[in-house]
Structures are given as C-alpha cells and as structure tokens.
C-alpha cells in the first residue's frame, strides 16, 4: 500500500506542477498580455469577446471548467461562463495566500460555492504595466473528477480497493486508512 500511495502522490504532485507551468505560460504569452491589457483598459464588448474566446480555447484544451479574473479587492470582473459571481471566504483565503507569496498556487480540493463542483483552483497573480504589486488574479478551476479523484481511486490489478485516502497538500503527505 505504501508504494501505491507513493505513486499516487507523485502523480498528483506532477499534475499540480503541470497545471502551474501551463498557466504561467498562458499569462506570459504575448497574446494574453495584449488581450488582457486591452480588456482592462477598455472593457468593451469586443475586447471582452476576444479575451473570452482566447481563454475558452485554453480552458477547453486544458480540462479547465472555468476561468475567473479577480481584482485586488477580491471582486470577480470576468468569467468564461458567467456562473460564478462572488468568492467565498475559502476562495478569498487562497487569493490572500497567493498575494502573500506573490506566486502561483494550487488550492486544496474544495467546494467554495454550493453551485460548484468539487474542484481545485490554480491561482496566478497578474502584475500589470511593470508594477511590483499584484493587480489581478487569474483563477483556473479544474473539476476534481477529471484527474485527482480518478488518481486517488486507482487500484492496481482487478480487485477493488477498500482504502480511504487523504492527501494533505500543505505537507504533501498521503495517508491511507
């Protein structure tokens, strides 16, 4: 069981690193910078549409359920699907952590809105116009059933597992019961 748990931990850690690497590539792409800046400076219907199409394409190709843009006062100013309107205390606490560390983070698995699925959020700070302070956050929401839950549910061989698994992100420990 220890070996299986170790493999699951490695797979989840690799998935999280891949998510962070992908989203960092996204926000550092020239096209994102142009579309995002255009939208922030002039949130016209046309600029919103261009940014939405670009981010929707990215989301579709990276198994992301929704992408939010949140300002530094924790207000959602943009979503791909328009279904999330407010952040909960849980969501805000992840933004605060990102703000404090001034780097991209992965949340734990959580519900932070009764209408949302069990998910993991990749939160990325956006620094605009050469400013040292975070201007906005890009929040990519991934459904936990797309990778994390299947990874935790895997069992080698044809038999079913009777294990219960707890993965603690903060300490990167994986517990089997």
């Amino acid at each position: 069981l220890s070996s299986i748990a170790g493999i699951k931990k490695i797979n989840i850690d690799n998935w999280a690193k891949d998510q962070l690497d992908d989203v960092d590539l996204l926000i550092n792409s020239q096209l994102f910078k142009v579309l995002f800046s255009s939208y922030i400076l002039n949130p016209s219907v046309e600029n919103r549409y261009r940014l939405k199409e670009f981010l929707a394409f990215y989301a579709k190709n990276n198994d992301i359920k929704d992408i939010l843009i949140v300002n530094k006062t924790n207000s959602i100013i943009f979503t791909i699907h328009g279904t999330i309107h407010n952040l909960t205390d849980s969501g805000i606490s992840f933004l605060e952590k990102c703000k404090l560390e001034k780097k991209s983070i992965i949340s734990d698995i959580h519900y932070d809105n009764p209408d949302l699925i069990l998910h993991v959020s990749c939160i990325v700070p956006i620094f605009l116009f050469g400013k040292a302070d975070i201007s906005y956050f890009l929040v990519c929401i991934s459904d936990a059933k797309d990778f994390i839950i299947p990874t935790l549910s895997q069992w080698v061989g044809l038999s079913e597992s009777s294990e219960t698994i707890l993965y603690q992100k903060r300490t990167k420990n994986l517990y089997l019961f």
Side-chain angles (χ1 to χ4, degrees), residues 73-140:
T73 63
N74 303 327
S75 296
I76 298 170
I77 62 165
F78 176 94
T79 73
I80 292 177
H81 302 296
T83 56
I84 304 169
H85 304 288
N86 297 302
L87 295 174
T88 62
D89 291 341
S90 172
I92 291 170
S93 71
F94 292 121
L95 291 179
E96 293 301 321
K97 179 180 179 189
C98 182
K99 195 181 297 182
L100 182 67
E101 295 182 12
K102 292 192 176 194
K103 67 177 189 173
S104 301
I105 65 163
I106 295 275
S107 72
D108 59 3
I109 298 173
H110 64 283
Y111 291 102
D112 60 357
N113 185 318
D115 300 327
L116 280 181
I117 51 170
L118 186 63
H119 67 279
V120 175
S121 298
C122 182
I123 304 166
V124 184
I126 300 174
F127 302 89
L128 276 184
F129 313 118
K131 292 182 179 178
D133 291 333
I134 298 170
S135 303
Y136 297 91
F137 298 93
L138 187 75
V139 180
C140 298

Side-chain angles (χ1 to χ4, degrees), residues 4-42:
I4 294 168
I7 291 169
K8 291 178 183 190
K9 179 186 176 312
I10 290 168
N11 288 341
I12 292 170
D13 288 344
N14 288 339
W15 174 85
K17 182 183 179 324
D18 186 52
Q19 295 297 304
L20 291 170
D21 290 346
D22 285 350
V23 81
D24 283 338
L25 281 173
L26 169 71
I27 66 159
N28 288 309
S29 75
Q30 195 59 37
L31 184 53
F32 174 78
K33 289 177 181 178
V34 167
L35 293 172
F36 182 76
S37 298
S38 296
Y39 176 73
I40 294 302
L41 294 173
N42 177 16

Side-chain angles (χ1 to χ4, degrees), residues 1 3-5 7-8 153-161 163:
L1 286 179
S3 296
I4 294 168
I7 291 169
K8 291 178 183 190
S153 301
Q154 278 179 303
W155 186 252
V156 290
L158 299 175
S159 66
E160 290 186 21
S161 165
E163 65 186 327

Side-chain angles (χ1 to χ4, degrees), residues 52-84:
K52 181 178 177 181
E53 288 298 305
F54 177 76
L55 291 176
F57 179 79
Y58 174 82
K60 181 180 178 186
N61 288 294
N62 289 283
D63 293 322
I64 294 171
K65 296 303 177 202
D66 204 352
I67 297 178
L68 316 175
I69 297 173
V70 180
N71 66 20
K72 59 185 170 184
T73 63
N74 303 327
S75 296
I76 298 170
I77 62 165
F78 176 94
T79 73
I80 292 177
H81 302 296
T83 56
I84 304 169

